Amino acid sequence: MEEVIKLVDSIIEKWSSLDEVALHLGVSKDTIYRWIANKQMPAHKIGRLWKFKISEVDKWVKIGRAIEN
């Protein structure tokens, strides 16, 4: 049952903008662009815009990818 709830949550999770992710993480937009380019931050380009799933970003941060050299 818990797996079904997680699946439903991930299906209906909204796409977040770069501004929203920068605010969520408390970093600048330039930092987000660097992380996308250099650290494989989970981001999806839709047209000319970068979009994010906050759950993917949070997971990426929790596994320590944001602090790797």
Side-chain angles (χ1 to χ4, degrees):
M1 181 68 172
E2 187 174 318
E3 290 177 16
V4 171
I5 292 171
K6 287 180 184 178
L7 179 60
V8 169
D9 286 344
S10 69
I11 291 171
I12 61 172
E13 180 181 1
K14 78 176 193 81
W15 289 100
S16 298
S17 70
L18 189 129
D19 288 332
E20 291 170 322
V21 170
L23 183 63
H24 175 72
L25 296 176
V27 299
S28 71
K29 292 191 290 184
D30 288 338
T31 298
I32 299 293
Y33 284 125
R34 273 195 311 276
W35 284 346
I36 292 168
N38 300 328
K39 298 189 180 216
Q40 295 80 41
M41 181 180 202
H44 308 273
K45 195 142 193 194
I46 301 174
R48 297 180 349 169
L49 302 174
W50 285 104
K51 295 294 184 174
F52 307 82
K53 294 285 188 171
I54 295 293
S55 62
E56 292 177 359
V57 171
D58 286 344
K59 185 176 181 179
W60 179 81
V61 169
K62 286 179 184 176
I63 63 171
R65 297 298 302 269
I67 59 172
E68 290 178 355
N69 292 329

